[in-house]
């Protein structure tokens, strides 16, 4: 009878395993996206079949996320409507200093499907009173 | 060799953990210039089509009405009527028709998006047909 020595056993051929592992890494690396800073997991966007990703990114985006309880998330902080007004006023002063026209600002509203329509309208009216006029209501294509 | 495999596995685990399927997101444009000089704007554009969405106390949709006509709760019916009215005014490519949404304050937001979807366009055989892309919210009267 022939026995394999222990030294032989330790020396497995790992080339193919490493190949596959590298392939997997390459796959996940390509798919990863780090642009999630402006999305919040507490928000479940409403679904619309017409929600197609825009061809060109909007100019000067200002992403306001409306939670189901009416609180608004802007730039990673939570505000009520009065607090949001102060924050946006501050932001617009900054834009003015940088000589960016207010009309080029696009207010992107990511509101929860279950929040009140009135809350979204409150946000829009607030922005309107601060001379912002381009709004985008965000929806997702399907549920996953 | 062993240390390389260790690092490779660490990388693999990192990418697997941070992996998340992204759902495509899209926007509906709404242009609402600041409220100013209401006397001048009245005679300029033709009357917008008014879509009113009423809600029950728990936020569910009870009725949709287009102008004075009550349409029940069917968004396909709303789309049909809007398309008909736009065709009467000169077809979908005429940019003059504007739609004004007036949802109840406590209506769930998803119905608003559904209504906007119904009046914006339609998907037929994977293609999008535009109906109207000028949408705004009606000014509210707060007590």
């Amino acid at each position: 009878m022939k026995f394999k020595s222990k030294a032989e056993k330790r020396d497995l051929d790992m080339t193919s395993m490493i190949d596959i592992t590298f392939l997997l890494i390459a796959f996940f690396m390509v798919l990863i996206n780090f642009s999630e800073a402006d999305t919040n997991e507490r928000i479940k966007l409403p679904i619309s079949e017409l929600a197609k990703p825009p061809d060109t990114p909007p100019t000067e985006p200002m992403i306001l996320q409306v939670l189901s309880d009416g609180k608004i998330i802007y730039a990673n902080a939570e505000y009520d409507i009065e607090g949001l007004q102060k924050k946006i006023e501050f932001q617009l002063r900054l834009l003015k200093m940088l000589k960016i026209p207010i009309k080029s600002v696009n207010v992107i509203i990511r509101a929860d499907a279950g929040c009140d329509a009135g809350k979204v309208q409150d946000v829009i009216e607030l922005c309107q009173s601060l001379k912002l006029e381009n709004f985008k209501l965000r929806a997702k294509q399907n549920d996953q | 060799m062993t240390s390389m495999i260790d690092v490779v596995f660490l990388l693999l685990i990192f990418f697997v953990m941070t992996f998340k399927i992204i759902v495509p997101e899209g926007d509906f444009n709404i242009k609402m210039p600041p409220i100013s000089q209401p006397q001048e704007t009245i005679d300029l554009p033709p009357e917008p089509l008014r879509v009113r969405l009423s809600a029950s106390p728990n936020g569910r949709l009870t009725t949709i009405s287009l102008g004075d006509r009550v349409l029940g709760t069917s968004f396909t019916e709303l789309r049909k009527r809007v398309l008909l009215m736009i065709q009467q005014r000169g077809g979908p490519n005429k940019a003059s028709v504007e739609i004004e949404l007036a949802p109840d304050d406590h209506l769930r937001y998803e119905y608003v998006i559904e209504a906007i979807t119904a009046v914006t366009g339609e998907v037929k055989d994977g293609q999008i047909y535009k109906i109207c892309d000028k949408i705004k919210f009606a000014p509210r009267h707060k007590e």
Side-chain angles (χ1 to χ4, degrees):
Chain A
M1 244 193 189
K2 228 180 175 180
F3 289 100
K4 277 185 182 169
S5 70
K6 270 186 182 168
E8 218 177 314
K9 246 187 192 167
R10 233 182 281 141
D11 237 19
L12 292 167
D13 188 16
M14 299 236 241
T15 329
S16 48
M17 190 184 81
I18 294 172
D19 282 355
I20 291 175
T21 317
F22 270 131
L23 267 182
L24 283 173
I25 289 185
F27 171 74
F28 284 113
M29 250 172 98
V30 170
L31 283 186
I32 198 170
N33 75 324
F34 291 107
S35 64
E36 283 178 22
D38 51 10
T39 62
N40 192 295
E41 299 202 340
R42 279 190 283 167
I43 286 168
K44 275 200 169 328
L45 286 181
I47 298 159
S48 163
E49 52 181 10
L50 294 177
K52 279 232 305 194
D55 299 327
T56 50
T59 55
E60 301 300 328
M62 179 186 272
I63 300 180
L64 304 176
Q65 314 197 64
V66 186
L67 293 170
S68 50
D69 61 357
K71 287 261 190 325
I72 300 127
I73 298 176
Y74 174 51
N76 285 327
E78 224 174 285
Y79 300 96
D80 54 10
I81 200 95
E82 287 87 19
L84 184 73
Q85 178 164 9
K86 287 194 191 105
K87 176 74 185 166
I88 294 180
E89 276 170 359
F90 175 72
Q91 205 69 24
L92 291 181
R93 272 205 296 277
L94 278 182
L95 285 180
K96 213 173 182 179
M97 279 200 277
L98 295 168
K99 300 232 162 34
I100 296 170
I102 288 181
K103 283 204 173 15
S104 70
V105 176
N106 278 298
V107 182
I108 297 170
I109 297 177
R110 296 182 87 247
D112 192 278
C115 80
D116 291 350
K119 297 271 190 257
V120 179
Q121 273 183 288
D122 285 343
V123 173
I124 291 179
E125 273 165 19
L126 167 70
C127 294
Q128 252 185 316
S129 69
L130 298 171
K131 305 259 186 321
L132 295 164
E133 54 181 69
N134 295 313
F135 298 91
K136 288 171 187 296
L137 301 182
R138 193 154 273 189
K140 64 178 172 185
Q141 226 162 31
N142 45 24
D143 211 1
Q144 263 175 8
Chain B
M1 188 80 150
T2 333
S3 51
M4 187 186 82
I5 295 170
D6 285 353
V7 174
V8 167
F9 270 127
L10 268 181
L11 280 174
L12 184 63
I13 289 167
F14 167 75
F15 284 114
V16 171
M17 297 296 268
T18 48
F19 178 68
K20 218 182 123 194
I21 301 162
I22 353 158
V23 184
E25 290 179 4
D27 299 320
F28 291 105
N29 286 324
I30 283 185
K31 198 164 175 120
M32 292 187 63
I35 314 141
S36 55
Q37 329 96 5
Q39 306 96 317
E40 284 177 44
T41 48
I42 280 175
D43 50 14
L44 271 168
E47 274 281 286
L49 301 177
R50 290 213 166 74
V51 178
R52 166 124 193 77
L53 306 168
S54 320
S56 67
N58 61 7
R60 299 219 162 269
L61 184 72
T62 48
T63 49
I64 306 167
S65 41
L66 177 62
D68 313 321
R69 203 178 267 135
V70 180
L71 304 176
T73 57
S74 157
F75 285 107
T76 39
E77 180 68 24
L78 174 69
R79 176 180 288 149
K80 250 189 250 163
R81 297 274 175 173
V82 168
L83 196 57
L84 206 75
M85 287 180 101
I86 286 179
Q87 269 159 358
Q88 280 169 1
R89 291 190 188 190
N93 294 326
K94 290 267 194 273
S96 59
V97 182
E98 219 177 7
I99 287 173
E100 197 176 75
L101 282 175
D104 271 352
D105 268 4
H106 54 280
L107 181 75
R108 280 172 68 92
Y109 177 63
E110 56 186 325
Y111 294 111
V112 178
I113 290 292
E114 231 175 303
I116 294 177
T117 309
V119 298
T120 305
E122 186 171 16
V123 181
K124 259 188 205 160
D125 313 319
Q127 268 207 313
I128 293 174
Y129 294 93
K130 278 242 154 72
I131 298 176
C132 175
D133 53 6
K134 282 191 161 182
I135 295 161
K136 61 177 184 177
F137 283 105
R140 290 182 298 174
H141 306 287
K142 276 191 177 164
E143 301 89 62

